Amino acid sequence: TPKKVVVSAGPTSALYSVASGDGLEGAGMRGTALERSFSLEARDDFDNPTARGEDAWEARLKPADAKTKTVAVLISDQGNGTYACSYTVSQAGAYSLEIWLGKVGSGQEAAGSPFAVAFSPDPKEEVRRRHHQQEARFEREKLAKEARRTEEAERRDRE
């Protein structure tokens, strides 16, 4: 008589788990903030989807520039072996997206992690920013010239 065999996925393996979505790639920023998202599909050591949740995934978006703050990545367990992940970038630049099963830096790093992600400033916004900087510089130079003229006039009046 045939026997019924139940096969279920083993423990989640970061090495076989899959990250996908536009949040793994860079983009041009429009405005002051850009929200990006990606998903994780948990898989076991035999590349089977785990189809269950409760894994302890962590992720962070680490900037290449030490002056820029690390960006937190929100991870939402969907209860079926998939995880919805999102983050919001507020500063253009190069980043490294690190995804870990367990604590960042001490767990297992996910396949493909870290992902190189770069955000370029909106060209129109960059032109506006430079224009404002130039106007501010011209205004400072104008005020400095006026101050020098006033000083020279006062010096002549004293003589």
Side-chain angles (χ1 to χ4, degrees), residues 2-158:
K3 292 188 177 183
K4 186 175 183 179
V5 177
V6 176
V7 178
S8 59
T12 299
S13 168
L15 189 60
Y16 288 94
S17 295
V18 178
S20 61
D22 64 3
L24 304 177
E25 301 170 3
M29 293 189 66
R30 303 274 184 222
T32 58
L34 177 65
E35 186 172 337
R36 302 290 278 175
S37 62
F38 62 95
S39 63
L40 284 170
E41 181 183 23
R43 293 178 169 268
D44 69 9
D45 283 329
F46 299 99
D47 203 24
N48 298 308
T50 61
R52 64 179 180 279
E54 299 181 12
D55 292 318
W57 290 99
E58 288 189 10
R60 69 180 174 192
L61 193 62
K62 190 175 175 184
D65 176 10
K67 296 176 188 174
T68 305
K69 292 183 180 179
T70 297
V71 177
V73 177
L74 302 174
I75 299 176
S76 175
D77 185 347
Q78 303 300 295
N80 60 2
T82 63
Y83 300 81
C85 310
S86 65
Y87 58 87
T88 302
V89 176
S90 59
Q91 194 166 356
Y95 293 83
S96 178
L97 176 60
E98 301 173 351
I99 304 169
W100 296 79
L101 180 57
K103 292 285 181 197
V104 169
S106 63
Q108 291 181 315
E109 200 159 13
S113 178
F115 296 88
V117 185
F119 299 97
S120 57
D122 176 10
K124 290 179 184 176
E125 196 63 39
E126 187 66 13
V127 167
R128 277 193 286 277
R129 185 184 65 78
R130 287 184 181 167
H131 179 72
H132 288 298
Q133 285 177 336
Q134 191 174 34
E135 282 182 334
R137 190 184 88 226
F138 289 153
E139 186 63 28
R140 284 191 307 270
E141 288 174 359
K142 180 181 167 186
L143 292 172
K145 277 183 183 178
E146 289 175 9
R148 281 193 298 272
R149 284 186 193 141
T150 302
E151 285 177 15
E152 287 174 12
E154 288 174 356
R155 189 172 32 108
R156 279 193 300 263
D157 288 344
R158 282 184 295 215

